[in-house]
Amino acid sequence: MMIVSSLDELKEARRLLDGMVGLVPTMGYLHEGHLSLIRRAREECDHVAVSIFVNPTQFGANEDLSKYPRDLERDLRLIDPLGVDLVWNPTPEIMYPAGYQTWVEVEALTRSLEGAMRPSHFKGVTTIVAKLFNAMQPHKAYFGQKDAQQAAVIRQMVRDLNFPIEMIVCPTVREPDGLAMSSRNKYLEGDDRRAATVLFRALSAAKFAYENGERNAETLRTVMKSVLATEPKASPQYVSCADYDTLEELDVVKGKSLLSMAVLIGKTRLIDNFVLK
Ligand code: PAF
């Protein structure tokens, strides 16, 4: 497994990878969700590359970048048995050298949901992902369904900027009690960990209603809100039933749709979603 940091090292290492390259972009502190993306890339590609970079530009001023969990040694130990060929772990100075001033921004899709709560977040995400794509030149790139809006926004960027890359979105990996795996789960202490299952329970209740014929989107949002209201530690930031592609709120669920939510459990902000097909 080659582990590189500088752009020159990356260029040299990338040259050695012949055939189809799959990239799994990450911010490190890997969990089973990331490992499932790496395994899928391993199955589908000749070579697998993983980037590990805590991207400062996708954190808002009130979000604590310095507290984001980091443990490169642990990440490398987890990756090692999975047959990864190349790990790229650049520094912020490599990705954003002094005088940096170029940004990639997707418009309408970034205005709702996460984008409404975290105004500069997606500008940071699309900029770094475009830079990772340009430097790594993968044929396929793997993302988790858990960050549904991120996947939609990057899909739009890939289409709009003609990146010759196939985007693969893989299912959310969950703990046995339904909590979606996330690096942020590390912040859930004591009773917050139990309370955090309310997101899965709220989504499951709305899916159950949908499967029993409910198509009114407002009713599905109400179902989710009423389950969230049973948990005193939960403060919902948004609860949505939207079109899967445009992310516009629906009146009636017809085609592929997305139930999603962001909820504060104590001080920890969690997101989760289910796709209705
Ligand atoms: O999903 C993430 O971990 C990040 O947003 C990503 C795609 C690696 C960009 O920094």
Side-chain angles (χ1 to χ4, degrees):
M1 184 164 79
M2 298 180 277
I3 303 166
V4 300
S5 183
S6 75
L7 284 162
D8 284 344
E9 286 168 340
L10 175 70
K11 213 165 163 186
E12 198 53 38
R14 176 63 184 86
R15 258 184 349 104
L16 301 173
L17 305 181
D18 269 344
M20 173 96 80
V21 173
L23 171 65
V24 182
T26 80
M27 297 212 299
Y29 213 75
L30 304 181
H31 51 69
E32 197 47 47
H34 298 112
L35 305 187
S36 74
L37 304 182
I38 295 173
R39 287 191 197 101
R40 174 88 177 264
R42 186 62 283 165
E43 276 166 32
E44 295 183 354
C45 304
D46 299 312
H47 297 289
V48 179
V50 175
S51 60
I52 299 179
F53 178 61
V54 181
N55 175 33
T57 65
Q58 67 188 78
F59 287 76
N62 56 345
E63 298 172 20
D64 203 342
L65 167 66
S66 65
K67 285 218 183 95
Y68 194 84
R70 295 163 168 88
D71 191 340
L72 183 62
E73 272 183 29
R74 174 183 169 280
D75 289 342
L76 296 177
R77 266 201 315 276
L78 288 171
I79 290 177
D80 196 37
L82 302 183
V84 169
D85 300 276
L86 172 58
V87 177
W88 183 27
N89 177 224
T91 61
E93 293 70 30
I94 291 171
M95 299 317 277
Y96 300 105
Y100 187 87
Q101 50 182 308
T102 303
W103 302 95
V104 177
E105 208 164 353
V106 171
E107 296 187 338
L109 268 180
T110 62
R111 292 198 187 111
S112 60
L113 308 175
E114 287 301 287
M117 306 301 306
R118 307 175 70 193
S120 58
H121 172 68
F122 286 118
K123 182 177 165 188
V125 170
T126 41
T127 299
I128 196 63
V129 172
K131 286 169 71 68
L132 296 172
F133 283 177
N134 281 334
M136 188 65 83
Q137 304 268 306
H139 300 86
K140 296 189 181 199
Y142 295 80
F143 297 89
Q145 174 59 37
K146 163 148 179 303
D147 295 301
Q149 188 174 14
Q150 170 171 284
V153 168
I154 296 173
R155 192 180 301 114
Q156 184 74 39
M157 177 190 80
V158 163
R159 200 183 307 142
D160 290 349
L161 296 185
N162 312 113
F163 279 106
I165 295 172
E166 186 184 348
M167 246 190 89
I168 314 282
V169 180
C170 302
T172 302
V173 179
R174 297 180 180 280
E175 301 283 358
D177 62 6
L179 178 66
M181 295 221 181
S182 162
S183 307
R184 290 193 165 85
N185 292 353
K186 175 186 154 63
Y187 302 135
L188 294 168
E189 283 170 4
D191 202 33
D192 287 356
R193 172 63 188 81
R194 177 207 53 77
T197 60
V198 75
L199 282 82
F200 179 73
R201 287 185 278 118
L203 289 164
S204 302
K207 186 162 177 239
F208 182 78
Y210 171 80
E211 284 169 352
N212 283 282
E214 184 57 71
R215 293 293 181 271
N216 184 304
E218 189 53 29
T219 306
L220 296 176
R221 287 186 281 268
T222 304
V223 168
M224 294 187 274
K225 284 179 194 163
S226 54
V227 176
L228 293 173
T230 63
E231 176 47 66
K233 284 179 168 274
S235 312
Q237 291 193 328
Y238 64 80
V239 171
S240 162
C241 175
D243 178 85
Y244 182 80
D245 292 310
T246 64
L247 302 180
E248 280 165 17
E249 289 303 316
L250 295 169
D251 293 327
V252 178
V253 179
K254 283 194 207 112
K256 197 172 177 188
S257 310
L258 187 73
L259 300 171
S260 68
M261 57 181 62
V263 182
L264 282 171
I265 301 288
K267 288 197 188 122
T268 308
R269 186 173 187 278
L270 300 177
I271 59 171
D272 200 355
N273 67 81
F274 277 8
V275 179
L276 303 178
K277 291 188 179 146

